[in-house]
Amino acid sequence: MEVDYSGDVMTLNMGPQHPSTHGVLRLELKTDGEIVADAIPHIGYLHRCFEKLAENIDYPGIIPFTDRMDYCAAMNMELGYVLAVEKLMGIQINNRVRCIRIIMAELNRIASHLIAAGTYGNDIGSFTPFLWCFRDRETILDLFEETCGARLLYNYNWIGGLMYDVKPGFEKKVIDFIDYFEPQVGNLNKLLSDNYIFVKRTAAVGILSPEVAINYGVTGPNLRGSGVKFDVRKDEPYLGYEEFDFDVPVGKGDYGPVGSCWDRYIVRIREVKESCKIIRQAVAKLTPGDVHESIPKRVKPPVGEVYMRTEAPRGELGYYIVSEGGVKPHRLKVKSPCFTVMSAFREVSRGSMIADVIAILGSFDIVLGEIDR
Amino acid sequence: MESIARLLQLIPKYSELPEFLRALIPVVVSCVVVFALLALAVLFLVWMERKVSAHIQDRLGPMYVGGWHGWAQTLADALKLLLKEDIVPASVDRTLFKMAPFIVFLGAFAAYVVLPFGATSFVADLNIGILYIVAVGSLSVIGIIMAGWASNNKYSLYGGMRAAAQIISYEIPSAMAIMTVIIPVGSLSMVDIVNAQKGGIQNWFILRNPFTFLGFIVYFIASLAEVNRTPFDIPEAESELVAGYHTEYSGMRFAFFFLAEYANMFLVAGVATTLFLGGWTQVIPGSFIAPQLLPGPIVFFLKALLIIFVQMWLRWSLPRLRVDQLMYLSWKVLLPISFVLVLGVGCLAVYW
Amino acid sequence: MNPQEIAALLTEKFGSQILESKLDAMNPWSAVEPSAILAICQFIHSDERLKMDHLELLGGVDYKDRIEVVYVVYSMKFRHRYTLKCRLTRETPKVQTVESVWAVANWHEREAFDMFGIVFDGHSDLRRILCPDDWEGYPLRKDYKFPKTYRDMPV
């Protein structure tokens, strides 16, 4: 549909306080009736200059700050940082630490994707999936709480090891949860994913073609939603992910063009199932060991720089650390997946309707803590 | 109203009052009674909505206030709303802003005048009853636009405009669906319509013929849209427009919008009951449940509650439509169907 | 392609504009002449052998005597990565924008401008992105003094 935007446009200021901007994001919408001629995102309301802070704290002290970037997936945030420092220092970890890290990272990925799916349902106007998802997420948080005492910001992955070993019986609880949870995904699909109205609202909206997605540096489920089969866990394995058997789901355009909001959404739902598979294998691989074995007495990496990327739930999370040989990093730069996907927002949402803007924003699944850092 | 007038006769020296007072008092009293019942019904409906939504969402909902399953929760909430500070934002159009909630409520409340709760329990039996409901029901649109405009807020304005477009569009299929009942009955009076369905479930219009059955479906969908319930709640779409036309309202004025919303919900359920589900008449033909045990108003309430339950069920299961999809549904799906239904019912009436 | 081949290819194509290469580092990198960055980026983006279509990271680093802009680039097709560095003076850090090569550079460059004051020549929308528009100074520079107040509000 060709629309002439030269006429009167009204500026609608959406956010920073708005129910569905997922935090303190401000969107400046130029609207012509219900149609959005331009949507300009303004970020930075949650900026606390994490990178500057990190230059003034020693390496282990930074871990709690990484938690606070993507607070929905804190385990994955600290995992990326810890792996980067370990790579810089050349620390080898034992199998137990590796498997527990994988279990925790995948559990947190499930929790994060549940938030994504639930809030997306809420954005589209369906409130029930939100609470269904939070009900299941609760069990994961209980598992985390039992292990490290915190429910949201864990500080659990330490450089060279873990804060605590898991409690006895943890493996059984994880497997019990997976057994319970896998059928729930089907229920969620029945309630939301395959709902006719939901499909109509999302399946032809916010098309992000693979070329545009790569050009905008979009990563993670958003990129896979556009049909690009790329997952850091598969293509540049860390933590020994190559030993695990799992698929990388991509958007196939079941109900419309590839790269729509629905594709991005369903990739997350399918990824949750793959995470369940990984967790089952990781629990089977869990061997006894000491999780504090290779924690260094003093974290003082040699001079050098490292770029380490991991697959966080929201995409490729990269840590670029420059060390000058001190106990504090000289520079710590975070490549935030939400930051890059947000830069593509203007391109994708131009010419859609107000309701679609919300649908697109929700399908990107951003966390402002990570964008603003 | 007649029954209330008869009751008033029992007051000593009532007949010595001047003529105009004797005409006026029953009207006022019956309005107060309807209003009180309505407020009670709304309190119950809000509680029910919370309970239904809670159980759909795998939680319990209010459990503490009042003891038994939080029955007094809405009472406490209503009290809180009434006690809140009356905030009128600085840049609003004060007159319109203050008037809007009452006009919205008036539209909902006035329609109850002709709704027959039982064989004798109604305020007035107008011979154009259903027409009156359709007319008065549209009054709330004016209030909603007033609220949206007067709030001086872009989200409110969007909400108001969406509401106007939506309610006016859905009036047409809903009125057409009502026609499918009016044609066989041959009267616009609500009481006549109910009387035409007497004698048990097989005489209800929903089961009379396929046209009226589809008419019920069309009316139900259109009425959902008219009362802004999900999946048609775009005027107050929380995730898009914050709260739509009542973004700027708080306290008692907000309570009036809230009251109107639930009053409207009950109204459309009541109209659907009257038109298609036989109103106050008994479900099972014959007389093995004595009317004294299950009086007409209770039957009416139970039927209306059934419809309201379905409304709530839909609200907590379905996502929201987009504006253009909403308009598509009204003008390109429901309207042609309802025209065909009216034609079909007309043919039946002429050739059967 | 491994980093050695990429570095060889770059040296062959751009010669003296490649100032220094360090291939045994954890992230093999080449320091390049700032004036050539756009041409080099266009080359590595479009060359059939490289196809570096994914800009993973663009950020500044303050080394007290110079400011570096780091470009970590990756190829979705061939799955190889390389790092480019531009060394700029601290007084007038200025480099060409690579916005035309990777669209994502738009926001990354804005962030580098916001944090380090690096001016990207030809950038379409070079505004502060994370800090408020009227913020003074460039926070991630090593000599940055934290302000006591912002608009008369204590920070």
Side-chain angles (χ1 to χ4, degrees):
Chain A
M1 182 172 60
E2 274 302 307
V3 183
D4 178 18
Y5 299 126
S6 56
D8 287 347
V9 291
M10 182 170 94
T11 306
L12 183 69
N13 191 32
M14 194 175 265
Q17 314 297 338
H18 186 277
S20 53
T21 50
H22 292 244
V24 281
L25 172 71
R26 179 158 83 92
L27 295 173
E28 189 184 333
L29 303 182
K30 306 279 186 208
T31 55
D32 176 16
E34 285 280 343
I35 294 168
V36 175
D38 201 357
I40 307 159
H42 295 272
I43 62 173
Y45 289 90
L46 210 56
H47 181 52
R48 54 230 185 249
C49 222
F50 160 68
E51 291 167 9
K52 183 75 178 175
L53 274 170
E55 290 175 12
N56 296 300
I57 315 169
D58 58 356
Y59 284 94
I62 294 171
I63 300 173
F65 286 91
T66 60
D67 283 339
R68 279 149 181 85
M69 289 201 302
D70 182 349
Y71 36 78
C72 297
M75 283 287 182
N76 300 74
M77 292 288 122
E78 56 196 35
L79 179 64
Y81 170 73
V82 163
L83 286 175
V85 179
E86 280 168 9
K87 192 174 170 193
L88 194 61
M89 296 177 70
I91 296 174
Q92 297 296 319
I93 52 167
N94 62 30
N95 184 53
R96 185 169 184 84
V97 174
R98 185 178 73 102
C99 287
I100 294 177
R101 277 184 182 176
I102 287 180
I103 295 171
M104 291 302 179
E106 295 304 323
L107 278 178
N108 210 339
R109 190 186 310 279
I110 296 175
S112 169
H113 282 344
L114 282 178
I115 296 186
T119 51
Y120 195 46
N122 204 3
D123 286 343
I124 301 298
S126 183
F127 195 68
T128 302
F130 178 74
L131 283 156
W132 283 24
C133 289
F134 268 59
R135 176 194 65 197
D136 297 340
R137 175 177 175 262
E138 197 64 22
T139 323
I140 300 179
L141 295 191
D142 287 344
L143 284 171
F144 288 158
E145 190 184 9
E146 176 196 297
T147 309
C148 64
R151 289 171 67 81
L152 196 64
L153 307 164
Y154 312 107
N155 188 15
Y156 180 66
N157 288 302
W158 281 3
I159 294 162
L162 300 167
M163 188 190 201
Y164 300 118
D165 203 341
V166 293
K167 296 275 181 293
F170 177 81
E171 295 93 327
K172 185 176 177 300
K173 282 184 187 166
V174 171
I175 294 297
D176 283 351
F177 167 71
I178 299 294
D179 287 341
Y180 153 80
F181 176 68
E182 271 174 332
Q184 294 296 328
V185 179
N187 285 346
L188 184 67
N189 281 341
K190 271 185 224 157
L191 180 68
L192 187 66
S193 316
D194 296 326
N195 182 297
Y196 183 76
I197 299 175
F198 182 75
V199 168
K200 280 281 160 199
R201 279 292 306 276
T202 54
V205 169
I207 311 297
L208 187 64
S209 68
E211 296 76 32
V212 173
I214 291 174
N215 200 21
Y216 272 100
V218 174
T219 52
N222 295 326
L223 179 67
R224 293 194 280 278
S226 298
V228 182
K229 200 168 181 140
F230 181 81
D231 188 322
V232 182
R233 289 176 294 173
K234 271 269 191 243
D235 295 288
E236 220 179 66
Y238 53 94
L239 274 180
Y241 264 110
E242 65 273 21
E243 297 164 22
F244 291 85
D245 171 40
F246 65 100
D247 289 331
V248 178
V250 291
K252 297 191 201 76
D254 305 47
Y255 290 109
V258 177
S260 63
C261 292
W262 193 84
D263 279 342
R264 287 192 283 277
Y265 161 85
I266 205 70
V267 161
R268 294 198 175 88
I269 300 290
R270 288 173 184 156
E271 245 173 49
V272 161
K273 287 187 187 161
E274 300 304 320
S275 288
C276 291
K277 273 204 283 202
I278 297 175
I279 292 171
R280 277 186 201 281
Q281 295 167 46
V283 169
K285 282 189 169 94
L286 204 57
T287 49
D290 179 12
V291 295
H292 298 120
E293 193 176 63
S294 41
I295 294 179
K297 285 269 179 300
R298 208 151 159 253
V299 184
K300 201 172 174 189
V303 178
E305 54 184 68
V306 68
Y307 179 74
M308 176 74 206
R309 59 173 183 174
T310 55
E311 182 76 22
R314 284 167 181 78
E316 174 191 314
L317 174 78
Y319 284 93
Y320 178 73
I321 302 177
V322 180
S323 161
E324 298 270 84
V327 293
K328 298 170 184 173
H330 181 75
R331 169 89 168 101
L332 172 63
K333 162 90 184 140
V334 183
K335 185 256 151 102
S336 141
C338 298
F339 184 83
T340 49
V341 78
M342 216 38 224
S343 67
F345 179 74
R346 194 172 172 181
E347 171 93 17
V348 176
S349 60
R350 196 172 286 154
S352 55
M353 305 182 89
I354 291 179
D356 293 342
V357 167
I358 300 296
I360 294 166
L361 190 68
S363 75
F364 280 167
D365 182 25
I366 52 165
V367 166
L368 266 293
E370 190 193 296
I371 293 183
D372 294 345
R373 298 188 297 280
Chain B
M1 197 162 68
E2 275 87 46
S3 45
I4 285 173
R6 240 175 286 127
L7 278 176
L8 287 171
Q9 299 287 342
L10 299 177
I11 299 172
K13 297 190 181 169
Y14 179 76
S15 48
E16 293 166 21
L17 288 171
E19 180 71 23
F20 78 95
L21 273 183
R22 267 187 290 155
L24 193 66
I25 287 173
V27 175
V28 173
V29 170
S30 48
C31 280
V32 168
V33 168
V34 167
F35 182 81
L37 284 176
L38 184 62
L40 266 179
V42 167
L43 284 180
F44 173 73
L45 285 184
V46 174
W47 177 81
M48 176 174 157
E49 169 112 61
R50 297 178 74 159
K51 279 296 184 189
V52 168
S53 72
H55 286 279
I56 287 176
Q57 292 164 352
D58 216 347
R59 54 191 178 89
L60 290 172
M63 285 301 281
Y64 292 100
V65 185
W68 185 78
H69 286 260
W71 66 270
Q73 182 68 49
T74 32
L75 215 62
D77 285 349
L79 209 64
K80 184 208 76 174
L81 281 175
L82 294 181
L83 292 176
K84 272 175 93 168
E85 186 193 350
D86 177 28
I87 300 170
V88 181
S91 57
V92 300
D93 186 329
R94 298 184 77 88
T95 327
L96 291 183
F97 185 82
K98 287 179 175 172
M99 238 158 75
F102 300 106
I103 293 193
V104 173
F105 179 70
L106 187 74
F109 177 60
Y112 279 89
V113 169
V114 292
L115 203 62
F117 297 99
T120 52
S121 327
F122 47 83
V123 178
D125 177 24
L126 300 185
N127 54 1
I128 52 157
I130 189 70
L131 193 64
Y132 169 81
I133 284 185
V134 172
V136 171
S138 313
L139 207 64
S140 59
V141 183
I142 299 169
I144 287 174
I145 295 183
M146 272 165 74
W149 175 257
S151 293
N152 200 6
N153 174 323
K154 286 170 185 169
Y155 288 111
S156 301
L157 185 60
Y158 265 114
M161 296 312 289
R162 282 182 176 191
Q166 172 181 330
I167 295 175
I168 290 171
S169 304
Y170 277 87
E171 289 271 295
I172 302 165
S174 104
M176 285 291 165
I178 290 171
M179 289 278 280
T180 59
V181 171
I182 294 171
I183 291 173
V185 175
S187 163
L188 290 171
S189 154
M190 299 291 267
V191 177
D192 290 351
I193 291 171
V194 176
N195 284 333
Q197 302 177 68
K198 265 187 177 164
I201 191 163
Q202 77 282 357
N203 281 346
W204 296 359
F205 276 115
I206 186 171
L207 298 174
R208 197 67 81 75
N209 61 50
F211 297 110
T212 46
F213 175 74
L214 285 175
F216 172 73
I217 306 278
V218 170
Y219 179 77
F220 182 73
I221 296 172
S223 68
L224 273 182
E226 273 187 79
V227 295
N228 303 335
R229 299 281 296 180
T230 313
F232 308 108
D233 63 339
I234 61 159
E236 46 203 286
E238 179 213 271
S239 61
E240 295 151 31
L241 300 183
V242 189
Y245 53 86
H246 52 67
T247 305
E248 297 288 347
Y249 283 90
S250 64
M252 205 171 124
R253 292 178 212 287
F254 173 73
F256 263 93
F257 276 117
F258 208 66
L259 197 65
E261 187 188 323
Y262 280 87
N264 262 326
M265 228 169 103
F266 190 78
L267 175 71
V268 293
V271 172
T273 307
T274 311
L275 293 180
F276 297 99
L277 300 184
W280 72 79
T281 59
Q282 299 288 338
V283 181
I284 299 145
S287 57
F288 61 90
I289 301 175
Q292 288 79 7
L293 283 178
L294 207 58
I298 302 241
V299 175
F300 180 87
F301 265 98
L302 289 178
K303 287 174 181 171
L305 277 184
L306 184 72
I307 291 181
I308 288 174
F309 173 74
V310 178
Q311 286 183 349
M312 289 174 178
W313 185 9
L314 287 177
R315 170 165 180 184
W316 296 104
S317 316
L318 293 180
R320 182 186 306 125
L321 289 172
R322 206 170 54 202
V323 186
D324 56 332
Q325 293 163 346
L326 183 97
M327 288 297 153
Y328 178 89
L329 181 66
S330 170
W331 293 102
K332 294 196 172 171
V333 180
L334 292 185
L335 193 60
I337 290 179
S338 56
F339 275 136
V340 171
L341 293 181
V342 170
L343 270 178
V345 172
C347 290
L348 277 186
V350 174
Y351 298 111
W352 210 256
Chain C
M1 262 187 168
N2 60 34
Q4 281 77 18
E5 287 167 333
I6 297 172
L9 198 66
L10 284 177
T11 323
E12 179 202 330
K13 177 90 170 130
F14 292 97
S16 62
Q17 282 168 325
I18 310 295
L19 301 175
E20 186 193 344
S21 291
K22 194 162 190 261
L23 302 176
D24 55 347
M26 255 178 271
N27 272 330
W29 53 266
S30 287
V32 303
E33 191 70 46
S35 57
I37 188 69
L38 183 58
I40 293 174
C41 285
Q42 275 164 351
F43 171 70
I44 60 173
H45 182 259
S46 54
D47 189 84
E48 282 304 319
R49 291 160 292 180
L50 293 174
K51 276 277 172 223
M52 303 281 214
D53 48 5
H54 180 44
L55 178 66
E56 282 188 27
L57 180 102
L58 191 162
V61 184
D62 186 356
Y63 281 105
K64 295 202 171 89
D65 58 333
R66 62 178 193 276
I67 283 181
E68 275 184 5
V69 185
V70 181
Y71 302 80
V72 181
V73 285
Y74 184 78
S75 169
M76 285 283 182
K77 189 173 172 195
F78 300 116
R79 308 278 147 105
H80 55 225
R81 122 152 12 90
Y82 203 65
T83 306
L84 298 174
K85 291 183 177 186
C86 269
R87 289 167 178 168
L88 313 170
T89 59
R90 294 192 84 237
E91 290 72 40
T92 51
K94 198 172 188 184
V95 67
Q96 278 173 305
T97 174
V98 292
E99 194 192 349
S100 55
V101 186
W102 301 285
V104 66
N106 185 319
W107 275 33
H108 280 313
E109 287 177 352
R110 276 177 70 186
E111 193 190 334
F113 167 74
D114 191 358
M115 294 295 148
F116 289 93
I118 302 165
V119 176
F120 290 90
D121 223 6
H123 192 281
S124 60
D125 186 25
L126 199 60
R127 288 179 292 127
R128 284 191 179 269
I129 186 164
L130 293 174
C131 293
D133 285 342
D134 54 353
W135 193 260
E136 280 170 14
Y138 301 106
L140 276 179
R141 287 204 182 188
K142 288 289 177 186
D143 55 358
Y144 177 71
K145 294 270 184 298
F146 284 94
K148 292 273 187 296
T149 56
Y150 169 64
R151 287 186 175 178
D152 301 330
M153 291 179 283
V155 177

